[in-house]
Each structure stands twice: as structure tokens, then as C-alpha cells.
Amino acid sequence: MSVTESSSQHYEQILITGANRNVGAHLAHRFIDDGYAVIAQYRSHTDEIERLAARGAQLVQGEFGDRDSCLAIAQRIGAVVSGLRAIVHNASAFAPTRSTPTDAADQFQAFFEVHMLAPYLLNTSLAPLMTGSAATPADIVHITDIHADRPVSEYDVYCATKAGLQSLALSQAKRLAPAIKVNVIQPGPLSFEAWHDPACREAIIADTPLRRTGTPEHVYRAIAAIMGNDFQTGAVIAVDGGRRLGG
């Protein structure tokens, strides 16, 4: 059952950040399928953005680069909001930690802005525009990573800022209740990057009890379940095929 089928409210707005590819694009299309009006934030133009525009998504372009750019994006989103049902913080930066302290420091700042500063400023700016109430709360979903709890040394900057995003979600679950629920989804292996060689890919799958990678559809289903449950906030939900448990 879709979210829309389980609710009497149709055509409310859902904001999805990082909607120009992969998980974000899939989520945007699926929520359009469900009858929601999607606001798609994106950094760079892609074919998926063209397809979302053709389906009626409202597009907000911008890069989460610093305080002012994050606030400017929040302001542009606010200008098109009429009734915001949910925010999905999907925008992400992922790479191994750079080798020199100076480069790693620059990377840390960039990852902090995407994973922590932007979600904080969007939540605080847009919460007054959300349609939730104590009886029917709205939703904010932070997409982190199973490695927010199981950090990997080669990706310590990424893991640390994803852990910060997760902590932010839990504190805001307290702050924004009861009109807004805030929950966390921790994806496991969904896809591989170019630097993952075949041996690395095989090892990751072997270390996943369900012995396969997931898909963006699995993330969508987890978000739909959260939105359909009005008595769940502050939850951290792994969508990882059991990878956090090991093989």
C-alpha cells in the first residue's frame, strides 16, 4: 500500500534533497506516483531532473556550500511551499578521506555543510511551514548510513558527519514533537562507486547476510512506512540486508 492510499490527504508537498540522481531521483518519482507534489532540490542538472520537471516536480537548484547558500536554498524552497508534508534529507557527499591534513580539512568542511548544516537550517527554516499536528504529525527523515554507528577508518570524515546528522535527527525529534516526527534511515549497500573494485564488491556482498545489495526502492518503502506510522519518532532504522551484523 502506498502512503497516499493510507491517507486522506492528497497532493501535499514533499521536499527531497539531492533529487538529481540515484536514491533521490527514485524517491521523487515514487512520491509523484503516490500523488504528492514534489519539491526536488538538486546541485547539478541531470537527465533525471529533466524527467522530474516533465512530471511536474518543482525544482530548486543550489549547492549546500556554506551558511548563506544553505539559507538561500531554504528561502527559495519556502517561497514555493503551500503545505509541506515531509522533508527527506537525502543529499550526500561520499568519498574516502583525503590523504593530507589540509585536503582532509577541506573535505570535512564540505561534508559537514551537506550532511549537518544544510539539514539543520532547512529543518529550522521550514518547520513552521509543515502541515503536521499532534494528531497527524508531519515527517522529517534523515538518511544517514549504517557506518554512522560502525565507522570505517578510511572514510572517517564521511562517517563522522553522517553520525552528526543522525544525532541532529534525534535531538530534533524531541524539539519538533508532537507536530513533526523525525526519524533516521540507515542504508547499507545499495550501489557501488567506481573505486570499488570487483574484490571489494564481492567482500561487501559476502559480509551482508542477505547476500545482495539493496535498491532505492527499499529506501522508499522504509520512508513510506515511517510516514504511515503516526506513533514513531526518534527511530533509527537500518535498511541494509543485515550488513551491520556481519556475515
Side-chain angles (χ1 to χ4, degrees):
M1 178 181 292
S2 71
V3 176
T4 303
E5 290 170 337
S6 63
S7 171
S8 61
Q9 296 181 333
H10 299 262
Y11 305 108
E12 291 180 304
Q13 293 172 306
I14 293 182
L15 167 64
I16 299 169
T17 67
N20 55 321
R21 66 185 187 93
N22 202 3
V23 174
H26 182 83
L27 295 177
H29 283 293
R30 292 293 275 117
F31 282 114
I32 290 172
D33 292 342
D34 284 345
Y36 286 96
V38 167
I39 301 171
Q41 180 277 333
Y42 67 101
R43 182 181 68 175
S44 55
H45 198 88
T46 63
D47 290 343
E48 286 294 350
I49 287 299
E50 292 286 346
R51 285 190 277 271
L52 288 170
R55 297 195 67 192
Q58 294 180 286
L59 307 181
V60 176
Q61 193 277 334
E63 182 173 359
F64 296 127
D66 54 24
R67 180 198 64 186
D68 291 341
S69 64
C70 293
L71 288 172
I73 292 168
Q75 185 177 30
R76 291 203 295 277
I77 293 168
V80 298
V81 166
S82 57
L84 196 56
R85 170 64 180 84
I87 299 173
V88 179
H89 291 292
N90 167 74
S92 185
F94 176 67
T97 301
R98 294 172 183 164
S99 58
T100 70
T102 300
D103 289 344
D106 291 342
Q107 186 181 39
F108 212 131
Q109 183 66 35
F111 283 15
F112 161 76
E113 286 157 356
V114 174
H115 295 158
M116 297 175 64
L117 182 62
Y120 177 80
L121 292 176
L122 288 179
N123 287 353
T124 54
S125 298
L126 299 175
L129 304 177
M130 300 190 77
T131 59
S133 66
T136 57
D139 284 280
I140 296 174
V141 178
H142 289 208
I143 299 179
T144 65
D145 193 292
I146 57 170
H147 294 297
D149 294 330
R150 287 182 60 196
V152 178
S153 58
E154 294 85 352
Y155 295 85
D156 54 2
V157 169
Y158 168 81
C159 294
T161 52
K162 282 291 191 175
L165 174 62
Q166 191 162 294
S167 177
L168 174 66
L170 301 184
S171 65
Q172 296 216 326
K174 297 179 182 180
R175 177 179 299 216
L176 298 176
I180 300 172
K181 301 184 286 118
V182 186
N183 290 284
V184 173
I185 292 176
Q186 293 182 329
L190 300 179
S191 61
F192 294 109
E193 299 292 342
W195 64 80
H196 290 126
D197 61 33
C200 177
R201 298 180 189 205
E202 290 174 9
I204 289 173
I205 292 173
D207 198 38
T208 302
L210 293 184
R211 296 295 189 270
R212 55 190 165 93
T213 58
T215 69
E217 177 67 11
H218 293 117
V219 177
Y220 162 77
R221 292 176 190 173
I223 296 173
I226 287 171
M227 291 175 63
N229 187 344
D230 62 8
F231 196 62
Q232 182 181 56
T233 195
V236 179
I237 302 165
V239 182
D240 69 340
R243 174 105 202 287
R244 72 201 179 282
L245 307 174

